[in-house]
Amino acid sequence: MSLKEYENLAKGEKLSLDTVLANLKTDEHGLIAAIAQQHDTGEVLMLAYMNEKSIRETLETGQVCYWSRSRQTYWRKGESSGHRQTLVSMSFDCDGDAILVKVNQQGPACHTNRRDCFFFTVDGNDVVISSAPSTTK
C-alpha cells in the first residue's frame, strides 16, 4: 500500500495517523528522511531520519526526536547541546517517502555550531563555505 491511493481526497478529509504511518515508504531499517525547517522563516535547517517510534514520540512530546544512523540510537535534538527543536507542525509528502518537520529551532541546528547544515554552497566549479560557526553558546 502507499499514500497514492489517498491523493485524490478533498481538502479537509481525514486519515488516521496509524493509516498514514502504515503507508510510509521507509528504507530496510524502517527509516524515512525528515527535513527540518524553521517554521517562521522557511529556512531549511537540516535533514535527519525518523522511524515510527521517533515520529510518535515527537508528536506526543513536542520535542523533535530522530534516529541517529551513526550512533544507532534515538536522538532528541538539543538533548546535549541545548539547541532544541520544538515541533510546530509535521507533514508527509505525496509519495510517503519524506517528512517535513516545521520547528522552532533554539540556537544552531548543525553539530558544527552553524545555524543550518547546508553551508557547503556551489559557486561554479568551487564550493564555498557560506557560514561560520556561532561563537555564542
Side-chain angles (χ1 to χ4, degrees):
M1 302 207 19
S2 73
L3 291 180
K4 263 211 165 323
E5 70 181 88
Y6 302 109
E7 62 187 27
N8 290 323
L9 293 177
K11 181 178 179 179
E13 290 190 62
K14 295 181 180 181
L15 298 170
S16 73
L17 180 60
D18 289 339
T19 296
V20 172
L21 293 180
N23 285 283
L24 293 179
K25 292 180 189 172
T26 60
D27 69 10
E28 65 275 11
H29 305 290
L31 300 175
I32 184 170
I35 301 161
Q37 180 181 39
Q38 178 63 31
H39 75 99
D40 53 355
T41 65
E43 177 183 20
V44 176
L45 300 170
M46 56 180 272
L47 176 121
Y49 292 87
M50 299 177 98
N51 60 20
E52 183 174 340
K53 183 177 176 184
S54 66
I55 292 168
R56 289 185 184 278
E57 179 179 319
T58 297
L59 293 170
E60 289 169 9
T61 66
Q63 169 68 39
V64 182
C65 176
Y66 300 106
W67 176 259
S68 172
R69 296 183 306 165
S70 60
R71 294 182 301 228
Q72 292 292 296
T73 189
Y74 290 97
W75 161 40
R76 288 143 192 102
K77 184 69 177 147
E79 200 167 44
S80 58
S81 68
H83 301 153
R84 296 194 178 276
Q85 287 181 348
T86 304
L87 180 68
V88 174
S89 68
M90 181 183 289
S91 302
F92 303 94
D93 79 334
C94 59
D95 293 323
D97 61 4
I99 303 171
L100 177 61
V101 183
K102 291 190 180 182
V103 302
N104 184 23
Q105 174 69 47
Q106 297 174 339
C110 185
H111 75 281
T112 65
N113 218 31
R114 288 174 170 87
R115 175 71 181 161
D116 65 71
C117 295
F118 299 98
F119 57 88
F120 292 104
T121 304
V122 176
D123 182 13
N125 288 324
D126 296 319
V127 176
V128 178
I129 307 305
S130 60
S131 67
S134 174
T135 56
T136 60
K137 293 282 176 174

